[in-house]
Amino acid sequence: MTLKDDLWYPSDCCLIDGEWRAPIGGARIDLVDPSDGGHLCQVARGTDGDIDTAVKAAQSALDGEWGRMTAVDRGRVLTRIGQLVLERTEELARIETRDVGKPLTQARNDVIALARYMEFYGGAADKVHGETIPFQDGYTVYTLREPHGVTGHIVPWNYPMQIIGRSVGAALAMGNAAVLKPAEEACLTALAFAAIALEAGLPRGALNVVPGLGEEAGAALTAHPGVHHISFTGSVNTGSLVQTAAARNVIPVTLELGGKSPQLVFNDADIDRALPFLVNAGIQNAGQTCSASSRILVQRGVFDEVRDRMAEKYRALRVGPAMSDMDVGPLVSSRQKDIVNGFLSRANDLKIAGQARLPDDLPQAGAYVAPTLLAPVDADHALAQQEIFGPVQVIIPFDDEEDAVRIANGTEFGLVASVWSADGGRQMRLAKRLHAGQVFLNNYGAAGGVELPFGGVGKSGHGREKGFEALYGFSTVKTVAAWHG
Ligand code: NAD
């Protein structure tokens, strides 16, 4: 089955005001299959004119049917979108697999997560309430939770469906109208999602999708004066540009950026239980995960055991084309492969503890990198400090709890951390002391839980998505004070 068989919508268009429209400038972007370097299809290269039309369509939706819809009805539409997403699980998974090189099982999990976000936010749409506030005699005071208005969503290529689900889902639940700019390498499931939303009855203009380059369509969206909130997920450098542009229009931003997330393994840890989490958190989606655990901190008493057992797992990893559904697929592009290889070329002074073998028959033009485990690595080494965004993990030894906290908190990031230890007191102490938006105790990631607020501190960003918390971020509070004597 070719990609064309799965594309039931015009994938080289923008979706604006409920209509499929060719980009105003007529330009297109060629998509490449990272598994073999072959040409996939073309997508629209939207520019400022398309963004402007999309923002105006979103505003019209707010002034029209979408803006008048009750919270209950918004929730029903979102829930219906979730059902239709699930019905198309296989098509969506195959599209994503070809587009970004994600092994099929992992792409299926992304579809299921997207459906879960729609169910969760569909159910939550009518459950965010204002308050009444006891005030001076003669007054009644209450608050209203209102949408920001037009929300801009800029999404990266690594988990397009999950990130669209958590960000667009929460924004629509609160009654905002969205303009989505997917990553240039990964627009296909964003467009598919919008097609499904229309089919489910989402009113025209409530969700608009403009594919395009970051510096063109992305920059135009962040600079547009008709946008009232920006949700950005991506790299630190681009996040900083987005925040600067938003500051010019004095609008709020949510920034979900990178990470260098540690797992701390103490001498008293249940290593049998920890082992699959230690490795999977580094190689899932070929390490291209913001919350990837790229630093494994191990207490000296179990260092050799953890290193050797992780190395054994690395040697057993199967790498192959995404459609063959191995443990690890290609990276998203040859550009990303070059970036990761660039990091590995700076690891000449480091010891490879374990490495997966790349099969001889892999397509030459595929973007493959052999998953690599480096140990021991000094906490200050560039590979222990910078986000690599590929299947590379480092193991760093530590002496005691104090040393572990110092190393764990010793990067500019703070997205996720985990603690493996049988000591309950230590678990509670470290949950407080670790700089991270999420801390996991004797697990890592809690299976992605859509209900769990997610976001970073430091250069991992600010604001929270996922869970109920996101609904507060995608709304604003109005206070009404009535004097009645
Ligand atoms: P990126 O910053 O290059 O691109 C992200 C998005 O921003 C893309 O849609 C891109 O087109 C757009 N963009 C690029 N330049 C822009 C500009 N000047 N103005 C507006 N938009 C612009 O990031 P990437 O390489 O696609 O993604 C990888 C990064 O994303 C990693 O650092 C990763 O950690 C991070 N990430 C974070 C999370 C999270 O939730 N914290 C989730 C996924 C990825």
Side-chain angles (χ1 to χ4, degrees):
M1 187 174 267
T2 67
L3 175 66
K4 261 207 167 99
D5 298 321
D6 282 325
L7 297 176
W8 75 94
Y9 53 92
S11 55
D12 62 346
C13 288
C14 307
L15 185 84
I16 297 175
D17 205 15
E19 290 170 3
W20 296 98
R21 297 186 190 170
I24 291 171
R28 300 292 198 286
I29 300 169
D30 285 307
L31 294 187
V32 171
D33 184 339
S35 287
D36 59 14
H39 181 259
L40 267 184
C41 65
Q42 288 195 317
V43 291
R45 179 171 165 178
T47 51
D48 49 357
D50 303 291
I51 291 289
D52 186 51
T53 323
V55 171
K56 286 178 176 148
Q59 188 57 54
S60 300
L62 290 168
D63 298 335
E65 185 189 351
W66 176 242
R68 287 192 299 273
M69 211 178 238
T70 61
V72 179
D73 285 338
R74 288 201 305 270
R76 286 190 176 129
V77 176
L78 292 184
T79 306
R80 212 154 42 235
I81 296 173
Q83 286 160 355
L84 295 186
V85 165
L86 273 187
E87 285 171 21
R88 291 197 186 262
T89 299
E90 288 308 309
E91 282 139 287
L92 288 166
R94 283 194 299 262
I95 292 170
E96 196 77 309
T97 289
R98 289 209 169 87
D99 198 6
V100 302
K102 193 178 289 240
L104 214 41
T105 302
Q106 296 178 36
R108 263 187 215 115
N109 290 339
D110 285 4
V111 182
I112 293 163
L114 172 59
R116 261 303 284 144
Y117 279 115
M118 293 304 121
E119 288 167 359
F120 180 85
Y121 287 120
D126 60 350
K127 294 174 187 65
V128 181
H129 305 152
E131 299 176 317
T132 53
I133 301 173
F135 194 58
Q136 295 169 12
D137 194 27
Y139 281 90
T140 297
V141 180
Y142 59 95
T143 60
L144 296 172
R145 273 266 163 202
E146 296 186 336
H148 290 293
V150 176
T151 49
H153 303 258
I154 300 180
V155 169
W157 42 259
N158 59 342
Y159 287 86
M161 286 188 279
Q162 296 217 28
I163 295 168
I164 289 168
R166 74 189 192 196
S167 144
V168 173
L172 292 179
M174 293 312 292
N176 299 282
V179 178
L180 165 63
K181 207 299 282 173
E184 43 272 46
E185 302 89 342
C187 313
L188 295 177
T189 49
L191 292 163
F193 173 71
I196 289 171
L198 270 186
E199 199 181 320
L202 188 73
R204 58 192 295 170
L207 169 61
N208 307 276
V209 184
V210 181
L213 302 179
E215 58 275 26
E216 294 178 356
L221 182 58
T222 52
H224 199 291
V227 173
H228 306 110
H229 178 282
I230 291 277
S231 158
F232 172 81
T233 307
S235 62
V236 176
N237 285 347
T238 313
S240 173
L241 289 176
V242 168
Q243 180 157 351
T244 305
R248 289 202 188 96
N249 289 329
V250 197
I251 58 167
V253 283
T254 303
L255 295 183
E256 299 277 7
L257 310 178
K260 195 73 189 171
S261 299
Q263 299 198 59
L264 282 55
V265 186
F266 285 84
N267 288 343
D268 63 352
D270 178 348
I271 293 174
D272 288 339
R273 176 172 159 78
L275 213 57
F277 289 90
L278 297 178
V279 175
N280 288 347
I283 56 95
Q284 181 181 310
N285 202 31
Q288 304 163 116
T289 305
C290 55
S291 54
S293 176
S294 46
R295 291 187 299 154
I296 307 295
L297 279 48
V298 184
Q299 197 164 12
R300 292 193 191 274
V302 289
F303 186 88
D304 289 355
E305 181 188 354
V306 171
R307 178 200 56 208
D308 292 349
R309 292 180 69 183
M310 283 185 73
E312 198 181 320
K313 282 197 167 286
Y314 262 74
R315 286 191 285 272
L317 288 172
R318 297 161 312 144
V319 182
M323 285 299 278
S324 65
D325 205 15
M326 300 290 175
D327 304 314
V328 181
L331 301 193
V332 70
S333 60
S334 52
R335 183 178 152 265
Q336 189 65 19
K337 173 183 161 180
D338 292 343
I339 291 173
V340 175
N341 280 336
F343 274 105
L344 287 174
S345 69
R346 289 152 71 190
N348 289 337
D349 54 329
L350 300 177
K351 210 162 167 208
I352 294 179
Q355 194 167 43
R357 204 182 68 79
L358 294 185
D360 299 334
D361 58 353
L362 279 182
Q364 282 297 309
Y368 300 94
V369 170
T372 303
L373 179 68
L374 300 161
V377 176
D378 191 272
D380 297 327
H381 195 285
L383 272 77
Q385 287 288 320
Q386 295 171 26
E387 187 183 45
I388 299 173
F389 230 53
V392 180
Q393 285 179 297
V394 299
I395 313 186
I396 305 167
F398 68 83
D399 296 323
D400 53 21
E401 197 173 300
E402 209 49 43
D403 199 27
V405 172
R406 180 187 61 78
I407 297 171
N409 290 344
T411 73
E412 56 185 12
F413 297 107
L415 196 53
V416 168
S418 92
V419 178
W420 295 92
S421 169
D423 180 337
R426 170 182 290 147
Q427 294 168 14
M428 295 303 116
R429 281 192 298 277
L430 294 192
K432 284 189 182 165
R433 293 188 68 195
L434 291 172
H435 295 168
Q438 288 189 326
V439 175
F440 298 99
L441 304 175
N442 292 321
N443 77 99
Y444 192 87
V450 307
E451 306 86 346
L452 314 182
F454 179 78
V457 298
K459 288 205 173 154
S460 290
H462 52 76
R464 294 291 176 265
E465 290 192 341
K466 302 176 66 168
F468 238 75
E469 198 65 31
L471 299 169
Y472 303 127
F474 280 110
S475 59
T476 181
V477 171
K478 179 187 282 174
T479 305
V480 181
W483 186 80
H484 38 66

